[in-house]
Amino acid sequence: MASIPQGNLIRPNRKTNGAGVQAEDTKICVVMVGLPARGKSLIAQKVVRYLHWLSITAQTFNVGQYRRQATPNPTAAFFDTSNPDGEKLRRAAAEAAVDDMCKWFREGKGLIAILDATNSTKSRRRWIKERCDAEGIEALYVESKCDDEDLIMANILEVKTTSPDYVGQDPEEAAQDFRNRIRNYEKIYETIDEDEADLTYVKLIDVGKHVIINQIKDYLQSRVVYYLMNLHIKPRSIWLSRHGESEYNLAGKLGGDADISSRGQEYARLLPTLVKQSAGEGRKLTVWTSTLKRTIQTARFLPFEKLEWKALDELDSGVCDGLTYAQVEERYPEDFAARDEDKYNYRYLGGESYRDVVIRLEPIIMELERSENILIVTHQAILRCIYAYFMNVPQERSPWMEVPLHTLIQLTPKAYSTQETRYPANIPAVSTFREKGSKAKHQDSPACTPGADGGERANPMNGA
């Protein structure tokens, strides 16, 4: 048989960002606005992660990180407006962050920057706009305004344990100091209003219950705004699992719509127990599966509402569907090598690339951001793409991540990172993982090593 044409190695146009957006003159600064404990850093992290996932280069410039270089562990008094030394240092940190951001744009390193700070006064926001205008940068202000006391308290509790400002401090003392810091900001805080009607802005009120949009100007700004409109910043987790071991897994075959094996059946029966161990007693989840038998069979014992999504079907391997990797290498040696060279962009003849999968998964990501308590049972390539989104894994590495069978993964987004815990079922299964440059040899996976909490601590780059 003839080899697959090499034209199926899809490479993005150098003049675009890889998502079809002309990028030569694009410079957008997303300026975060809001009091502390309103989820600004979480929103900034999510926006950058989303843009990276779509091949749009972005970076966060967190003013707090610049301020920590001079004042690593300040008390609330540092943020009092009557403290001239504190005001001087905070201003210097903001100037350093904006200077670095402007340099980053001038050097052509990216398309969208996130300026993460309170930016709590009209004068500060006007200064940022003037700097951006002088550099030819579009400024998009994003204000997170929240009066939900439960959410504010949840954010305070998280900050006292995760913020670099409070490392090694007593948690209760940290929480009290952080409340005092908020009070100092409240003295001077000015919400975006009609006096700033010339600004391009989005106001997210009470976790997106109410959204106000003003003067959105272009495609990329609209893309960011659409994403922001689907966000919520309430504490939550997402659960991910591959289907149980399938008959095709045992045979080492790609694709197909096979039934799960006897060991896969065993995992399906144990999965409700793993979910209870991770999510707790009594929590109701919604289960999303693909339309393929192996995910539906794996989820059938879960006592929750179930939804089937075509978008969660496995990567389409085209003419290689039903073949083993060894057969692919034998029949299409040039293409086997080409996929190893650039697995993210390589598209199977008549099938898909990982880049194609990301495009079809975007509605899933939007729905995940709107939702709470979701458990996804799907396939290896799909989980790699979803996992890469939440963990901000570079595209070139995401197709090479190991996602073992018979393991439940819990991801919990936080303000400064996403926490991960794995719950292995300790039910043997073949390993379908193949390292770059190697041949696929199916074998029983080794026993997982539990973490201190009973869940396996993941190494997301294992084998990459």
Side-chain angles (χ1 to χ4, degrees):
M1 296 180 70
S3 67
I4 303 172
Q6 289 295 302
N8 285 284
L9 182 58
I10 308 301
R11 297 192 184 278
N13 188 316
R14 292 181 182 271
K15 295 183 179 180
T16 73
N17 63 9
V21 180
Q22 292 299 322
E24 292 166 328
D25 300 318
T26 301
K27 297 178 183 178
I28 299 173
C29 173
V30 177
V31 184
M32 301 306 302
V33 177
L35 289 165
R38 267 62 177 184
K40 297 185 304 302
S41 292
L42 179 59
I43 292 170
Q45 173 203 332
K46 282 175 173 284
V47 170
V48 167
R49 195 178 65 200
Y50 168 70
L51 293 170
H52 284 175
W53 194 68
L54 292 176
S55 307
I56 300 171
T57 309
Q59 181 171 319
T60 299
F61 294 83
N62 183 287
V63 173
Q65 291 180 354
Y66 287 82
R67 183 261 302 154
R68 288 182 196 104
Q69 294 174 15
T71 315
N73 301 110
T75 65
F78 178 84
F79 300 92
D80 194 325
T81 54
S82 63
N83 179 344
D85 291 336
E87 174 63 25
K88 181 180 178 180
L89 288 169
R90 295 200 307 277
R91 174 76 184 201
E95 290 175 349
V98 172
D99 287 345
D100 281 356
M101 178 191 73
C102 292
K103 180 183 178 183
W104 183 78
F105 276 124
R106 285 196 298 269
E107 294 177 349
K109 291 184 177 179
L111 306 178
I112 298 180
I114 317 292
L115 186 62
D116 184 13
T118 57
N119 297 313
S120 53
T121 64
K122 294 180 181 181
S123 62
R124 174 61 60 87
R125 296 193 288 269
R126 185 60 53 184
W127 168 72
I128 292 169
K129 186 177 190 306
E130 290 170 356
R131 286 293 309 272
C132 287
D133 287 347
E135 296 281 345
I137 301 167
E138 303 170 17
L140 167 61
Y141 295 81
V142 177
E143 181 177 12
S144 181
K145 197 170 187 301
C146 180
D147 297 317
D148 184 327
E149 286 300 325
D150 289 340
L151 180 60
I152 293 170
M153 284 304 303
N155 286 338
I156 289 173
L157 292 172
E158 179 181 333
V159 165
K160 76 179 184 182
T161 58
T162 63
S163 171
D165 284 345
Y166 296 108
V167 171
Q169 295 190 30
D170 176 82
E172 293 311 314
E173 291 180 6
Q176 184 58 52
D177 184 82
F178 193 61
R179 291 188 189 97
N180 291 336
R181 182 189 301 192
I182 294 171
R183 293 188 186 102
N184 283 328
Y185 275 107
E186 287 173 338
K187 296 174 186 176
I188 61 166
Y189 187 77
E190 297 173 299
T191 188
I192 298 175
D193 59 22
E194 59 272 8
D195 292 345
E196 299 172 284
D198 62 318
L199 301 183
T200 297
Y201 66 79
V202 183
K203 292 183 72 167
L204 306 172
I205 301 172
D206 286 336
V207 203
K209 290 181 181 176
H210 186 37
V211 179
I212 300 172
I213 300 173
N214 186 64
Q215 296 221 46
I216 303 303
K217 296 174 182 176
D218 59 30
Y219 169 78
L220 265 184
Q221 287 186 0
S222 299
R223 192 87 178 243
V224 171
V225 170
Y226 175 62
Y227 177 70
L228 290 170
M229 291 173 66
N230 286 283
L231 285 184
H232 71 69
I233 56 174
K234 294 180 180 178
R236 52 81 177 260
S237 291
I238 300 97
W239 288 267
L240 307 174
S241 174
R242 286 182 69 182
H243 55 78
E245 179 188 72
S246 74
E247 297 294 345
Y248 259 36
N249 292 150
L250 287 172
K253 295 181 179 180
L254 301 175
D257 190 16
D259 293 314
I260 56 178
S261 69
S262 58
R263 296 191 297 195
Q265 298 275 6
E266 189 179 350
Y267 177 69
R269 292 186 178 89
L270 185 62
L271 185 55
T273 300
L274 293 180
V275 171
K276 187 182 296 183
Q277 179 185 352
S278 172
E281 190 77 46
R283 181 181 296 195
K284 291 186 177 180
L285 308 182
T286 300
V287 180
W288 296 355
T289 71
S290 75
T291 65
L292 301 177
K293 289 188 295 186
R294 54 193 183 274
T295 65
I296 296 169
Q297 291 171 0
T298 302
R300 72 184 185 277
F301 296 111
L302 292 164
F304 309 120
E305 177 187 8
K306 300 178 184 68
L307 299 174
E308 297 176 16
W309 293 78
K310 182 69 176 174
L312 291 174
D313 283 2
E314 178 62 298
L315 184 151
D316 187 344
S317 51
V319 298
C320 296
D321 189 78
L323 302 181
T324 66
Y325 275 121
Q327 289 171 329
V328 173
E329 185 177 23
E330 178 185 355
R331 297 182 190 184
Y332 312 112
E334 293 178 1
D335 304 286
F336 187 85
R339 191 165 190 260
D340 258 22
E341 177 192 351
D342 188 357
K343 193 174 179 181
Y344 184 80
N345 288 296
Y346 183 85
R347 178 183 293 155
Y348 284 108
L349 181 63
E352 293 180 300
S353 67
Y354 272 82
R355 183 180 291 278
D356 294 328
V357 170
V358 163
I359 292 169
R360 71 162 151 103
L361 281 177
E362 188 175 8
I364 295 288
I365 294 300
M366 290 296 179
E367 193 63 32
L368 271 176
E369 290 293 2
R370 280 196 293 265
S371 305
E372 296 179 56
N373 299 325
I374 302 298
L375 165 60
I376 301 177
V377 181
T378 185
H379 309 268
Q380 179 169 250
I382 307 305
L383 281 184
R384 282 171 170 162
C385 293
I386 294 173
Y387 181 97
Y389 166 77
F390 282 104
M391 302 301 287
N392 203 20
V393 176
Q395 290 173 340
E396 68 274 12
R397 298 169 84 173
S398 62
W400 297 105
M401 291 187 296
E402 184 173 12
V403 184
L405 290 164
H406 300 174
T407 302
L408 178 67
I409 302 172
Q410 179 183 6
L411 300 180
T412 305
K414 299 288 185 180
Y416 299 96
S417 64
T418 297
Q419 295 181 354
E420 174 184 6
T421 307
R422 295 194 177 191
Y423 296 85
N426 296 318
I427 296 170
V430 295
S431 173
T432 61
F433 175 65
R434 186 182 73 83
E435 292 191 49
K436 186 173 182 177
S438 71
K439 299 180 184 297
K441 294 182 179 179
H442 279 43
Q443 56 189 354
D444 280 358
S445 57
C448 298
T449 303
D453 57 0
E456 178 195 6
R457 289 301 180 189
N459 177 357
M461 295 301 138
N462 189 18

